[in-house]
Amino acid sequence: MTDIHPSDETAEANTAMKIAVVLRSDLEPWQRLNVAAFTISGVASQKGAVGEDYRDASNNLYLPMFKDPVLVFGAGAEEMVRTIERARRRDVSFSIFTRDLFETFNDIDNRAAVAAVPVGELDVVGLAFRIDRKSADKVLKGLKLLR
């Protein structure tokens, strides 16, 4: 799967990157926020995704944030499947959140819930990735920004 490696950081600095979160349009507002928060944490784990710490004029230190724009898209069930297929065909690394994870409350149970379901039966309600903008646009083709 496509991932940014330390040796790629110089090339990445010259490449326009995009972070995308794709959420099922039929989720409740609280579910959308939950899924977005969890899937984006996978992106944050990638080398080069997060910038430097912030500091205000009073010298207070704040946690760093993403270096790239984050866009949130909505998708119906079929659009989610199509987006996942496109990402896989392009060897894109992405995080997922399945509907089963609304019933789990820790990382161990989350992993077990995903591991128990074959890929074709995963009910993915959200995903997130960070790749170059051109590739992202191909994976996201046809999706609209979430409103």
Side-chain angles (χ1 to χ4, degrees):
M1 296 203 153
T2 303
D3 204 354
I4 302 299
H5 301 285
S7 59
D8 298 333
E9 287 185 37
T10 303
E12 177 195 330
N14 298 323
T15 303
M17 302 293 283
K18 182 185 285 186
I19 297 171
V21 179
V22 182
L23 303 173
R24 282 278 299 269
S25 303
D26 59 351
L27 296 177
E28 295 292 324
W30 72 267
Q31 291 175 315
R32 287 180 181 179
L33 293 170
N34 187 271
V35 173
F38 274 92
T39 58
I40 204 70
S41 67
V43 174
S45 74
Q46 293 181 312
K47 244 191 198 337
V50 176
E52 299 295 322
D53 289 343
Y54 284 73
R55 189 176 304 274
D56 64 26
S58 299
N59 209 30
N60 293 302
L61 193 62
Y62 303 95
L63 294 174
M65 294 188 280
F66 292 120
K67 297 191 292 187
D68 309 304
V70 179
L71 301 170
V72 181
F73 295 85
E78 290 179 19
E79 291 172 312
M80 184 65 76
V81 170
R82 185 183 69 221
T83 302
I84 290 169
E85 288 172 356
R86 287 177 179 168
R88 285 196 174 115
R89 277 196 311 267
R90 288 173 172 76
D91 205 25
V92 174
S93 296
F94 57 95
S95 58
I96 62 166
F97 193 102
T98 66
R99 193 170 300 278
D100 293 336
L101 300 187
F102 290 122
E103 305 300 322
T104 59
F105 300 100
N106 62 67
D107 188 52
I108 293 170
D109 292 341
N110 289 351
R111 289 172 192 277
V114 172
V117 181
V119 69
E121 297 175 27
L122 288 170
D123 186 5
V124 178
V125 297
L127 64 87
F129 59 82
R130 175 180 181 259
I131 57 176
D132 67 275
R133 288 185 186 179
K134 185 176 179 182
S135 296
D137 291 344
K138 289 178 182 176
V139 172
L140 300 165
K141 185 177 181 180
L143 296 181
K144 304 279 188 228
L145 291 173
L146 188 65
R147 302 260 178 230

